[in-house]
């Protein structure tokens, strides 16, 4: 707020996984800043600095943020969806709930769909409960066999079913509940059991259909162009998709 003589000139950058406390601007202006010691506040921008922002690298992103809308931006930020590099976004105004996407996923993965077609939403945008292939995948921390890892070609997060022991560590650590424990089946579709005839569980999640030449089956199966996998840090892609 330059008119009040206080302007933010620095931002917080974090290496690794973190939780962030969001304080509304109105609260900062009316409660926090008036009581803050003057020597701790950054120097305000000068009039010359405010008039010459054409080279600001954030200016373009700010314009895209306006196109996307403040409510959607707040929703994506509060839910940490910017951590995902391949988030499943559904346009609720186009989606007819036909579940063709779910059936396509199941057909590609031995009748075991790797995502759920529901999740938090804001306005017309819903983020489905599917692996987002995070920039900082905390699900990989603590896997005793290294079964969940980044594949070499694209860096996507995948699970090696041969080395997964079903310990649920990755499933418990995923903050988006995108990893499910399911009963393992053999090549003929029969359940696999241990020596005591108990079902053997394996961790499963979206693998972006890495073995499919056409990309994610869910996205290709949607007859209404209502579903897309995208990196939400690219606000331009999101804005264009919403404006199509």
């Amino acid at each position: 707020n330059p008119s009040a003589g206080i302007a933010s000139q620095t931002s917080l950058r974090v290496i690794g996984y973190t939780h962030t406390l969001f304080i509304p601007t109105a609260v900062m202006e009316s409660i926090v800043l008036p009581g803050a010691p003057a020597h701790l506040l950054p120097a305000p921008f000068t009039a010359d600095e405010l008039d010459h922002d054409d080279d600001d690298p954030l200016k373009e992103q700010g314009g895209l943020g306006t196109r996307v809308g403040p409510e959607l931006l707040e929703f994506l930020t509060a839910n940490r969806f910017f951590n995902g590099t391949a988030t499943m976004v559904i346009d609720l105004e186009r989606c007819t709930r036909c579940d063709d996407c779910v059936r396509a996923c199941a057909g590609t993965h031995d009748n075991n769909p790797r995502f759920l077609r529901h999740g938090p939403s804001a306005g017309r945008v819903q983020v489905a409960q599917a692996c987002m292939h995070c920039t900082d995948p905390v699900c990989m921390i603590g896997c005793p066999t290294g079964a969940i890892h980044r594949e070499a070609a694209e860096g996507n997060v995948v699970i090696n079913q041969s080395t997964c022991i079903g310990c649920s560590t990755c499933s418990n650590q995923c903050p988006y509940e995108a990893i499910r424990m399911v009963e393992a089946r053999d090549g003929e579709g029969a359940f696999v059991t241990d020596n005591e005839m108990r079902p053997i569980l394996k961790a499963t999640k979206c693998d972006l259909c890495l073995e499919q030449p056409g990309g994610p089956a869910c996205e290709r199966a949607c007859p209404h162009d209502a579903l897309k996998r995208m990196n939400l840090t690219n606000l331009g892609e999101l804005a264009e998709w919403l404006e199509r």
Side-chain angles (χ1 to χ4, degrees):
N1 185 4
S3 63
I6 299 173
S8 175
Q9 294 175 306
T10 58
S11 61
L12 174 66
R13 295 192 178 189
V14 178
I15 298 177
Y17 185 74
T18 185
H19 287 279
T20 305
L21 175 65
F22 296 93
I23 303 177
T25 301
V27 174
M28 288 292 296
E29 293 178 342
S30 62
I31 299 177
V32 179
L33 294 179
H39 69 279
L40 295 180
L41 297 176
F45 285 117
T46 65
D48 185 64
E49 289 173 327
L50 294 174
D51 290 338
H52 296 82
D53 62 349
D54 292 339
D55 297 329
D56 186 353
L58 297 179
K59 186 175 182 180
E60 181 179 356
Q61 283 289 79
L64 293 172
T66 301
R67 289 168 58 190
V68 171
E71 292 184 4
L72 181 54
L73 282 178
E74 183 175 350
F75 164 74
L76 297 175
T77 303
N79 288 281
R80 299 172 292 181
F81 290 138
F82 288 121
N83 190 30
T85 63
T87 305
M88 181 185 291
V89 182
I90 297 176
D91 186 341
L92 295 176
E93 291 184 358
R94 290 182 175 235
C95 177
T96 62
R97 286 66 169 173
C98 66
D99 278 338
D100 280 357
C101 55
V102 179
R103 284 188 286 271
C105 181
T108 306
H109 298 97
D110 300 322
N111 204 33
N112 176 29
R114 302 292 182 89
F115 75 97
L116 301 178
R117 189 193 49 76
H118 64 70
S121 61
R124 59 187 278 201
V125 174
Q126 180 185 66
V127 176
Q129 194 171 335
C131 177
M132 304 189 302
H133 299 268
C134 294
T135 301
D136 182 22
V138 296
C139 57
M140 291 172 53
I141 300 174
C143 176
T145 64
I148 185 166
H149 62 284
R150 287 192 185 277
E151 51 90 22
E154 300 292 337
N156 297 317
V157 181
V158 296
I159 299 175
N160 185 334
Q161 294 297 314
S162 299
T163 55
C164 174
I165 60 175
C167 66
S168 302
T169 299
C170 59
S171 178
N172 292 334
Q173 294 204 143
C174 175
Y176 308 102
E177 299 181 349
I179 302 177
R180 297 187 299 135
M181 304 304 298
V182 301
E183 296 180 352
R185 296 173 181 264
D186 60 22
E188 298 180 355
F191 289 110
V192 179
T193 59
D194 59 17
N195 294 333
E196 298 180 4
M197 299 304 294
R198 294 175 301 187
I200 294 177
L201 300 180
K202 296 280 188 176
T204 62
K205 56 178 275 311
C206 168
D207 59 2
L208 290 179
C209 297
L210 290 176
E211 298 180 357
Q212 300 294 317
C218 56
E219 186 174 340
R220 290 184 287 115
C222 180
H224 308 291
D225 188 27
L227 183 154
K228 186 172 180 61
R229 306 302 295 255
M230 67 175 69
N231 186 334
L232 289 179
T233 60
N234 185 346
L235 291 181
E237 181 182 9
L238 177 60
E240 291 177 4
W241 186 70
L242 292 174
E243 295 169 354
R244 69 199 188 287

mmCIF file of all heavy atoms in Angstrom, residues 192-200:
data_model
loop_
_atom_site.group_PDB
_atom_site.id
_atom_site.type_symbol
_atom_site.label_atom_id
_atom_site.label_comp_id
_atom_site.label_asym_id
_atom_site.label_seq_id
_atom_site.Cartn_x
_atom_site.Cartn_y
_atom_site.Cartn_z
ATOM 1 N N VAL A 192 -3.916 -61.401 -4.726
ATOM 2 C CA VAL A 192 -2.691 -62.018 -4.228
ATOM 3 C C VAL A 192 -2.725 -61.990 -2.706
ATOM 4 O O VAL A 192 -3.018 -60.952 -2.102
ATOM 5 C CB VAL A 192 -1.445 -61.268 -4.747
ATOM 6 C CG1 VAL A 192 -0.172 -61.910 -4.214
ATOM 7 C CG2 VAL A 192 -1.439 -61.242 -6.266
ATOM 8 N N THR A 193 -2.431 -63.129 -2.072
ATOM 9 C CA THR A 193 -2.470 -63.217 -0.612
ATOM 10 C C THR A 193 -1.128 -63.697 -0.071
ATOM 11 O O THR A 193 -0.304 -64.258 -0.803
ATOM 12 C CB THR A 193 -3.576 -64.186 -0.153
ATOM 13 O OG1 THR A 193 -3.323 -65.484 -0.715
ATOM 14 C CG2 THR A 193 -4.946 -63.695 -0.618
ATOM 15 N N ASP A 194 -0.927 -63.477 1.236
ATOM 16 C CA ASP A 194 0.295 -63.957 1.874
ATOM 17 C C ASP A 194 0.086 -65.387 2.373
ATOM 18 O O ASP A 194 -0.927 -66.029 2.061
ATOM 19 C CB ASP A 194 0.708 -63.018 3.011
ATOM 20 C CG ASP A 194 -0.365 -62.897 4.091
ATOM 21 O OD1 ASP A 194 -1.277 -63.756 4.143
ATOM 22 O OD2 ASP A 194 -0.292 -61.942 4.892
ATOM 23 N N ASN A 195 1.020 -65.893 3.167
ATOM 24 C CA ASN A 195 0.950 -67.274 3.644
ATOM 25 C C ASN A 195 -0.242 -67.522 4.553
ATOM 26 O O ASN A 195 -0.674 -68.665 4.726
ATOM 27 C CB ASN A 195 2.244 -67.639 4.380
ATOM 28 C CG ASN A 195 3.442 -67.661 3.444
ATOM 29 O OD1 ASN A 195 3.288 -67.894 2.243
ATOM 30 N ND2 ASN A 195 4.625 -67.410 3.983
ATOM 31 N N GLU A 196 -0.776 -66.455 5.139
ATOM 32 C CA GLU A 196 -1.937 -66.587 6.018
ATOM 33 C C GLU A 196 -3.225 -66.206 5.303
ATOM 34 O O GLU A 196 -4.242 -65.943 5.948
ATOM 35 C CB GLU A 196 -1.738 -65.736 7.271
ATOM 36 C CG GLU A 196 -0.530 -66.158 8.104
ATOM 37 C CD GLU A 196 -0.353 -65.307 9.345
ATOM 38 O OE1 GLU A 196 -1.224 -64.435 9.584
ATOM 39 O OE2 GLU A 196 0.628 -65.512 10.072
ATOM 40 N N MET A 197 -3.160 -66.160 3.986
ATOM 41 C CA MET A 197 -4.315 -65.873 3.132
ATOM 42 C C MET A 197 -4.879 -64.469 3.342
ATOM 43 O O MET A 197 -6.044 -64.205 3.075
ATOM 44 C CB MET A 197 -5.424 -66.918 3.357
ATOM 45 C CG MET A 197 -5.003 -68.338 3.030
ATOM 46 S SD MET A 197 -4.380 -68.483 1.314
ATOM 47 C CE MET A 197 -5.865 -68.126 0.378
ATOM 48 N N ARG A 198 -4.040 -63.566 3.796
ATOM 49 C CA ARG A 198 -4.454 -62.175 3.909
ATOM 50 C C ARG A 198 -4.074 -61.442 2.635
ATOM 51 O O ARG A 198 -3.009 -61.692 2.059
ATOM 52 C CB ARG A 198 -3.776 -61.513 5.113
ATOM 53 C CG ARG A 198 -4.205 -62.072 6.456
ATOM 54 C CD ARG A 198 -3.404 -61.454 7.583
ATOM 55 N NE ARG A 198 -1.968 -61.697 7.406
ATOM 56 C CZ ARG A 198 -1.047 -61.380 8.318
ATOM 57 N NH1 ARG A 198 -1.408 -60.799 9.451
ATOM 58 N NH2 ARG A 198 0.229 -61.636 8.081
ATOM 59 N N PRO A 199 -4.932 -60.535 2.170
ATOM 60 C CA PRO A 199 -4.624 -59.818 0.921
ATOM 61 C C PRO A 199 -3.372 -58.960 1.065
ATOM 62 O O PRO A 199 -3.135 -58.356 2.115
ATOM 63 C CB PRO A 199 -5.873 -58.963 0.682
ATOM 64 C CG PRO A 199 -6.497 -58.816 2.031
ATOM 65 C CD PRO A 199 -6.217 -60.102 2.756
ATOM 66 N N ILE A 200 -2.579 -58.927 0.027
ATOM 67 C CA ILE A 200 -1.373 -58.106 -0.001
ATOM 68 C C ILE A 200 -1.724 -56.747 -0.594
ATOM 69 O O ILE A 200 -2.302 -56.661 -1.684
ATOM 70 C CB ILE A 200 -0.270 -58.779 -0.835
ATOM 71 C CG1 ILE A 200 0.176 -60.078 -0.148
ATOM 72 C CG2 ILE A 200 0.918 -57.846 -1.025
ATOM 73 C CD1 ILE A 200 1.217 -60.845 -0.933
#
